Amino acid sequence: MHRTLMRKGRRSLYIVHRWIGIATCLLFAMWFVSGVVMMYVAFPQLTDRERWAALPSIAWDRVLVAPDRAMAIAGLASYPRDLRLVMLDDAPVYRLLDWDGAHKTISAVDGRPIDGITPEQALAIARHHPHAVHPQMIGTVARDQWSVTARYDPLRPLFLVSLGDAEGTELYVSARTGELALDTTRVERIWNWLGSIPHWIYPKVLRQDGAIWRQAVLWISGTGLVVAVTGFWIGVLRLRLRQHHARGPVTPYRGWMAWHHIAGLIGGIFVLTWIFSGWLSLNPGDYFASRGPTRDMAVRYAGQDAPRIVASFQSMPALGAVEARFVWVGGHPLMVLTDRDGHQTTADPASGVGTMLSDDEIFAAASRLLPRAAMTMRVRLQEFDAYWYPHHGERLLPVLRVGFDDTAQSWFQIDPRNGDILGRTDSTRRAYRWLFNGLHSLDFPLLLRHRPAWDIAVFLLSLIGMIVSTSGVVIGWRRLRRGSGPRKTKFHATKALGQSHLPRT
């Protein structure tokens, strides 16, 4: 009885792996190929440095409305999520972001709310871009492949402008606020069709509905996880190290089946952990906490809830800043000035005189972030570590880190130049760093410190994954052809069974 159950269970295992594998083998092959592309070409986005480089210097002599007045006009009754002064072509404006995600733009010249711009204004804005050669309007975009996510919803519709440069840069300008939303290049657009779009299952028709896309990817990657688990299990069952098979010392298979078996054994754990970590990236069950500070945290850190920055400018800062961001840190109002190259200085918003916060002042403000928890860590990081490193985006040094003894064991990273909270992690996010960035991207400190060791390791493991999935495509195709062909004799059917995944009896 036990022997019969074992035989039936093993047969079911082989059948599940065979048919789900046939259904997903092309998907696996696509994932590994596209993953290699993504090592070097990211999905298009507009970074802060790119945005600063495309802004003209602030015309301080035209700024006639103070930040306090701009907040009152925008109807903000409490501390805003973001408040900055920039240029909209040749006119200074305040850009305000509320905690509900609402974007508002107020003229710094006359206090007029701005709720739309013309195509001519969009072209004028595009001319300030450093790659602008001969900007031309392509049209108005409601949502396309590169602006598909919900992050752009408050800015839609978008004007799409070609800059006419050799790189084929296209710039997206919000038709509502005049903000630069996104830029793409020809290389990014071409390679992402072979990289991020297939890898993330990201076609616009699916991705435009975030909830449906998330469920689709969860189920697809979950199915892939079943294939990986059953495949590795079968690979171990069919492995023979002592009792040699007639066809070889390790595997009973030949040709593509042998490649599939051996490569699956070598890279099976990687394939399994890669699929598992990819599934986790969708945050099933919403287990992993948010990475940003909440509004209450920001207010306590600011030491100020009422929307008061400065009622009037007594003098203007030196020329050259393309952005002035207004913040409070520990009860101190600050104006963070950024030039086109990304260099930042801080000044008093009323006088324009340069000022700096000490580390102790920032730590004192940070101690209020979690009033029911004690601060257990306050350090100044001078070198990157396992939780603060620049592999997938720019990270600055030095950075301040504070930790608390709350239930979540929260950490905050803070920019010592201006007091900006750069990120928040808790124990779940630090676990996610290893379960996703570690297992999926191989972001291990030893590899990252010795590039191109990381590139070589990821490429070799991806190559093994390609062999497993490509051999699976060939085996699956042959199995389908054999199944759709004429009925075979008993002799040929027995021979085919011996070459399949099914165990011999």
Side-chain angles (χ1 to χ4, degrees), residues 339-354:
D339 66 18
R340 191 169 285 106
D341 295 324
H343 299 135
Q344 292 189 344
T345 57
T346 53
D348 180 271
S351 65
V353 175

Side-chain angles (χ1 to χ4, degrees), residues 62-131:
R62 300 195 62 193
V63 179
L64 304 179
V65 175
D68 287 8
R69 178 60 182 155
M71 284 189 285
I73 294 171
L76 295 185
S78 59
Y79 191 76
R81 187 168 188 170
D82 191 53
L83 170 62
R84 61 190 68 209
L85 175 69
V86 295
M87 297 295 287
L88 197 163
D89 186 24
D90 60 352
V93 297
Y94 288 100
R95 301 211 183 274
L96 303 96
L97 176 62
D98 206 350
W99 288 93
D100 61 1
H103 289 242
K104 297 182 181 180
T105 302
I106 305 296
S107 170
V109 178
D110 56 16
R112 173 178 53 90
I114 297 172
D115 56 7
I117 66 168
T118 66
E120 291 72 23
Q121 286 177 299
L123 283 172
I125 293 168
R127 290 189 185 100
H128 296 286
H129 196 284
H131 294 168

Side-chain angles (χ1 to χ4, degrees), residues 73-251:
I73 294 171
L76 295 185
S78 59
Y79 191 76
R81 187 168 188 170
D82 191 53
L83 170 62
R84 61 190 68 209
L85 175 69
V86 295
M87 297 295 287
L88 197 163
D89 186 24
D90 60 352
V93 297
Y94 288 100
R95 301 211 183 274
L96 303 96
L97 176 62
D98 206 350
W99 288 93
D100 61 1
H103 289 242
K104 297 182 181 180
T105 302
I106 305 296
S107 170
V109 178
D110 56 16
R112 173 178 53 90
I114 297 172
D115 56 7
I117 66 168
T118 66
E120 291 72 23
Q121 286 177 299
L123 283 172
I125 293 168
R127 290 189 185 100
H128 296 286
H129 196 284
H131 294 168
V133 176
H134 183 59
Q136 290 185 317
M137 180 64 62
I138 297 176
T140 304
V141 173
R143 189 187 303 268
D144 67 3
Q145 182 62 60
W146 315 116
S147 62
V148 67
T149 60
R151 64 183 296 184
Y152 301 105
D153 287 352
L155 305 176
R156 302 186 199 279
L158 304 168
F159 288 123
L160 182 58
V161 180
S162 170
L163 298 186
D165 60 336
E167 289 76 24
T169 305
E170 293 178 357
L171 189 65
Y172 293 71
V173 181
S174 171
R176 293 182 57 188
T177 67
E179 294 178 61
L180 301 180
L182 175 66
D183 64 356
T184 70
T185 64
R186 186 181 299 109
V187 167
E188 288 176 328
R189 293 190 296 271
I190 292 173
W191 280 105
N192 267 277
W193 284 104
L194 302 174
S196 298
I197 295 173
H199 195 85
W200 294 338
I201 314 177
Y202 226 62
K204 174 196 163 191
V205 66
L206 177 63
R207 185 59 185 87
Q208 63 187 352
D209 189 314
I212 293 177
W213 169 79
R214 182 174 181 271
Q215 288 299 316
V217 177
L218 278 172
W219 281 100
I220 291 171
S221 56
T223 302
L225 193 58
V226 173
V227 176
V229 170
T230 56
F232 190 70
W233 190 353
I234 291 169
V236 173
L237 290 175
R238 300 299 281 161
L239 178 65
R240 297 293 185 269
L241 296 177
R242 295 181 180 179
Q243 181 184 353
H244 292 183
H245 285 278
R247 295 174 182 171
V250 174
T251 178

Side-chain angles (χ1 to χ4, degrees), residues 16-36 198-199 201 219-232 260 264 267-276 440 461-473:
V16 167
H17 179 70
R18 172 192 291 166
W19 292 110
I20 299 182
I22 287 174
T24 59
C25 55
L26 282 172
L27 197 61
F28 272 83
M30 173 270 293
W31 272 333
F32 285 108
V33 173
S34 59
V36 172
H199 195 85
I201 314 177
W219 281 100
I220 291 171
S221 56
T223 302
L225 193 58
V226 173
V227 176
V229 170
T230 56
F232 190 70
H260 191 68
I269 293 296
F270 163 68
V271 174
L272 179 58
T273 57
W274 184 82
I275 294 291
F276 173 70
H440 203 78
L461 288 173
S462 298
L463 181 60
I464 294 173
M466 290 178 203
I467 293 172
V468 175
S469 52
T470 303
S471 59
V473 171

Side-chain angles (χ1 to χ4, degrees), residues 19 52 147 206 229 272 280 317 362 383 406 409 427 460 468 498:
W19 292 110
W52 291 325
S147 62
L206 177 63
V229 170
L272 179 58
L280 279 183
I362 295 175
E383 297 180 354
D406 61 315
Q409 295 294 298
S427 57
L460 289 177
V468 175

